Structures are given as C-alpha cells and as structure tokens.
Amino acid sequence: MVEPVSKLRVNRVGSAFCRAFAPTLWSAGSFGANATPLRSGQTRQVCPLPRRRGLASKKASRAATGSFEIGSAMTITEKILARAAHRDFVSPGDNIWVDADVLMTHDVCGPGTIGVFKREFGGDAKVWDTERVVIIPDHYIFTSDEKCRRNVDDLRKFVCEQGLRYFYDPGTESYSGVCHVTLPEKGHCRPGEVLFGTDSHTC
C-alpha cells in the first residue's frame, strides 16, 4: 500500500501524466474500499515521488541556461520501482529488490511455482500475505484431460492450505475468466503498485 503523505512533489512529466489520466487515478494513501477518485483537472500524484539528491541545483542550472539534461529525471515506471525498492532514485541498468504488492499465478505455472515455494521454504511455509496472492485458473478449464484438471486441483489444495482469499475457481460463481482481465476488473491492479504474475503477459 502507498502510505499517506503530507507533501507530494509534481514535476513537469508527472503533472502531464496526472492531467492525462486524472479521471481514473486515485489519491495517494486511499486505495481499496476507501479509494477517492481524482477529479478532472487535479494533478496530485498517485504515489510519493522519490526525491533525488542534487535535483534542486540542477533545476536552477536549467533555469539559467534554458537547457534540460538528458537522464536527469525518472519516468513514472522508474518512480514506482524506486518507491517499491525504498530508494531515492533508479535508472536503466540498476539491479534492485522491490516489495511486491500483488502476486498472481494460474493453472499452467501455479503447480510448479507452489512446488518451488515448498522446496525452498518448507512444506509448512506460509505466504507473506493471504490477501496479496491471487490465484486465477484460466487455461485448462474446458478440458476433460486428467493431467490438466489435476493442475486446478493442486491450486485448490494450496488455496485451502494457505487460506487465500482471492481464488477464482472454475465452475463456481467466483470464476471470472482470463487472469489479465480479472486482475483489473476485481481491483487487484492499482496505480503506483508493483504486481508480478507467472505469465508472459503479466510479468
């Protein structure tokens, strides 16, 4: 979750980004059920922008010369990753560790991922947050093949073991279709967060 902040810095790029997407963005620290949509014309940032050392002096030099230094600011993606990595600044080529907000897996990669999880952390290991792991079977759901159906059964077993809240089980009222569509439709994708999925389209 993005922590509430009292002051948000909006630079030239961030301001343009917010203006373009103002109708759909959410204010910082107000995700989930208490989310407050930004009104058109507002330019508050989705998340606190990491402060880069020496940025003020560079801005002063730009104002004096009328020039802009290439690579002196971060893109919105870099700002999100910097926040998740608890760093002031990131740039292309950096190797960073980030705090993931949401993890998703499905019936193709899920069983293998679960196997690695238990191998590395133990058979009784628990996920770090039962509300941030989302399981969405969507590949092997319309088949009578026993091996394919076994993948979904493995997911059901893991969900029960872990007590996961968000499992969109095929054949039930909770089923919601393709994982890439379900994630945003069910509110698992929020501005400013980092989401990882065991799928080529979600990584």
Side-chain angles (χ1 to χ4, degrees):
M1 298 291 288
V2 174
E3 296 297 330
V5 293
S6 57
K7 294 182 179 179
L8 297 179
R9 221 167 24 91
V10 180
N11 64 11
R12 193 170 299 188
V13 175
S15 178
F17 178 87
C18 286
R19 283 198 301 271
F21 295 95
T24 59
L25 292 179
W26 306 96
S27 59
S30 301
F31 292 137
N34 299 319
T36 303
L38 291 175
R39 297 177 182 273
S40 180
Q42 286 183 307
T43 57
R44 282 183 296 172
Q45 284 289 0
V46 175
C47 58
L49 302 183
R51 195 177 292 278
R52 187 184 182 193
R53 296 180 182 87
L55 191 58
S57 61
K58 289 190 176 184
K59 282 186 176 179
S61 65
R62 289 177 196 158
T65 62
S67 63
F68 291 86
E69 181 181 342
I70 296 176
S72 60
M74 289 187 290
T75 66
I76 188 65
T77 301
E78 289 166 348
K79 292 170 185 176
I80 292 171
L81 292 176
R83 177 191 65 82
H86 305 284
R87 293 175 58 166
D88 292 333
F89 185 79
V90 298
S91 60
D94 287 352
N95 290 317
I96 59 174
W97 289 93
V98 300
D99 292 335
D101 295 289
V102 176
L103 298 179
M104 183 281 294
T105 193
H106 50 49
D107 47 326
V108 177
C109 302
T113 303
I114 293 167
V116 173
F117 174 76
K118 292 186 175 182
R119 183 191 70 201
E120 297 297 322
F121 300 104
D124 297 326
K126 297 296 182 181
V127 300
W128 94 108
D129 192 323
T130 57
E131 294 194 5
R132 294 190 182 190
V133 179
V134 183
I135 310 292
I136 311 174
D138 66 350
H139 285 66
Y140 299 145
I141 56 172
F142 299 117
T143 178
S144 59
D145 185 274
E146 290 186 8
K147 293 182 179 179
C148 291
R149 295 174 67 87
R150 185 178 61 191
N151 278 25
V152 179
D153 289 337
D154 287 345
L155 296 182
R156 292 189 179 111
K157 181 180 178 181
F158 184 72
V159 167
C160 290
E161 291 174 353
Q162 298 288 329
L164 302 182
R165 178 176 179 179
Y166 298 111
F167 175 49
Y168 298 95
D169 196 353
T172 69
E173 292 184 359
S174 69
Y175 184 63
S176 188
V178 178
C179 62
H180 313 294
V181 178
T182 297
L183 286 170
E185 283 189 344
K186 297 298 183 179
H188 300 296
C189 297
R190 294 168 290 266
E193 293 190 351
V194 176
L195 184 153
F196 289 99
T198 58
D199 190 286
S200 60
H201 312 308
T202 317
C203 294

